[in-house]
Amino acid sequence: MFSIGDFAQLGLVSVRMLRHYDALGLLQPAHVDPASGYRFYQASQLSRLNRIIALKDLGFTLQQVRSILDERVSTAELQGMVRLRRAELEERITADTARLLRVEARLRTIEREGRMHTEEVILKRIPPTRVAELTAVAGSYESEDIGPVIQPLYGELFQRLDRAGVTPSGYGIACYEPEADGSVVVHAGVEVTAEASEAHDFAIVDLPAVETAATIIHRGSMDQVGTTFQTLAHWVEEHGYRSVGLAREVSIECPDDQDQWVTELQMTVSTV
């Protein structure tokens, strides 16, 4: 047998924790000296301790851990429970990480208020453009809704173009169409010269010319595009214009590193 101190060292836990588990009836010592009250444990009890720690670290309460272990859950069942809870925790971490990135992006937008470089905005005419596109619906304009929709759309679009033998002739062009219920129709397109055909499993759309567009270059991930769009909005308002129609995002450079992306934002405007 092992003293409580030695057992704590073997199990990589504290003596205080072992005493707490004993008080809860969760892991009781194999023997207690009646004279001294010293607790002693057997090596075989490390198996139960390992299960307790794993389940606790996965978010189960100690009461839940006791119920699970007292029901004599098999090793296979326990592994399944652990894998499921691990997947839930990984999903939560991913969501929290994305939320933190959005908060940081919003903070940068706030920091730039009052010192936005609106001189970067250029007015120009956009010629008519033919695109092949796929569409899908996102829950809102929020990046956590748009990103998971538009990224797979482009992957699918390029696969379909390849199967159809259609080669993109220019840039990717995305735009977003609001719906009455607050959702957003996402248009993921890329410039082509091909004619429309019923044989295609994608649409061929001719985007009309834009006589007056306020444009600005956004550099970096599209998760950070809010600051640049707000710079453009300030310029439009300050120069006596109003936005009309749908804004476009034209992907100029899209390397694997999204921080190196170059995107032109195009807002159709007219005089107020």
Side-chain angles (χ1 to χ4, degrees):
M1 290 193 184
F2 300 90
S3 68
I4 190 171
D6 290 340
F7 191 74
Q9 183 177 10
L10 291 169
L12 302 177
V13 296
S14 67
V15 170
R16 179 185 58 80
M17 184 177 293
L18 289 176
R19 288 173 177 158
H20 183 53
Y21 291 164
D22 181 13
L24 293 176
L26 190 58
L27 179 62
Q28 296 177 318
H31 174 71
V32 178
D33 186 289
S36 65
Y38 290 166
R39 299 171 172 87
F40 294 90
Y41 295 81
Q42 296 176 332
S44 59
Q45 291 181 281
L46 288 169
S47 176
R48 184 176 177 92
L49 177 61
N50 290 335
R51 284 161 169 74
I52 292 170
I53 300 302
L55 291 169
K56 183 173 72 71
D57 285 346
L58 286 168
F60 291 101
T61 67
L62 291 179
Q63 289 75 13
Q64 291 172 324
V65 170
R66 180 175 178 178
S67 297
I68 291 169
L69 296 181
D70 288 348
E71 290 174 5
R72 299 186 182 278
V73 175
S74 69
T75 299
E77 291 173 321
L78 181 59
Q79 288 175 335
M81 295 174 65
V82 169
R83 290 193 185 99
L84 178 60
R85 185 55 67 95
R86 182 177 62 188
E88 293 173 348
L89 289 174
E90 289 173 346
E91 183 177 353
R92 186 183 308 167
I93 290 170
T94 299
D96 288 344
T97 300
R99 186 176 299 110
L100 179 59
L101 290 174
R102 293 194 300 272
V103 169
E104 291 175 345
R106 189 67 65 173
L107 286 174
R108 281 193 289 272
T109 299
I110 293 171
E111 290 169 357
R112 288 192 60 184
E113 289 177 356
R115 53 186 180 87
M116 297 179 176
H117 301 293
T118 55
E119 66 272 12
E120 299 171 357
V121 176
I122 297 174
L123 276 181
K124 64 182 181 181
R125 181 182 184 275
I126 308 297
T129 308
R130 173 169 292 181
V131 299
E133 73 168 24
L134 293 178
T135 62
V137 178
S140 74
Y141 279 111
E142 295 185 35
S143 58
E144 66 265 34
D145 289 332
I146 294 293
V149 172
I150 194 168
Q151 293 173 11
L153 269 185
Y154 268 112
E156 180 65 24
L157 176 61
F158 286 120
Q159 288 182 13
R160 296 188 185 189
L161 290 173
D162 185 60
R163 289 197 298 266
V166 175
T167 303
S169 60
Y171 299 134
I173 301 177
C175 62
Y176 309 94
E177 185 177 1
E179 295 285 277
D181 63 358
S183 62
V184 179
V185 178
V186 178
H187 297 260
V190 63
E191 292 181 66
V192 295
T193 58
E195 298 293 330
S197 170
E198 293 183 358
H200 294 157
D201 53 358
F202 49 85
I204 297 289
V205 179
D206 289 317
L207 301 179
V210 176
E211 295 305 320
T212 308
T215 67
I216 190 171
I217 296 297
H218 170 73
R219 301 181 186 278
S221 168
M222 295 306 289
D223 290 338
Q224 318 297 325
V225 75
T227 299
T228 311
F229 255 128
Q230 290 188 23
T231 298
L232 188 59
H234 280 282
W235 186 96
V236 167
E237 186 174 272
E238 291 169 1
H239 288 76
Y241 291 93
R242 63 183 179 88
S243 65
V244 293
L246 303 179
R248 301 176 188 175
E249 298 172 353
V250 180
S251 301
I252 298 174
E253 296 180 16
C254 297
D256 291 339
D257 183 358
Q258 294 190 16
D259 289 336
Q260 303 301 315
W261 282 11
V262 178
T263 307
E264 183 178 73
L265 310 181
Q266 300 175 345
M267 184 179 293
T268 305
V269 296
S270 67
T271 54
V272 177

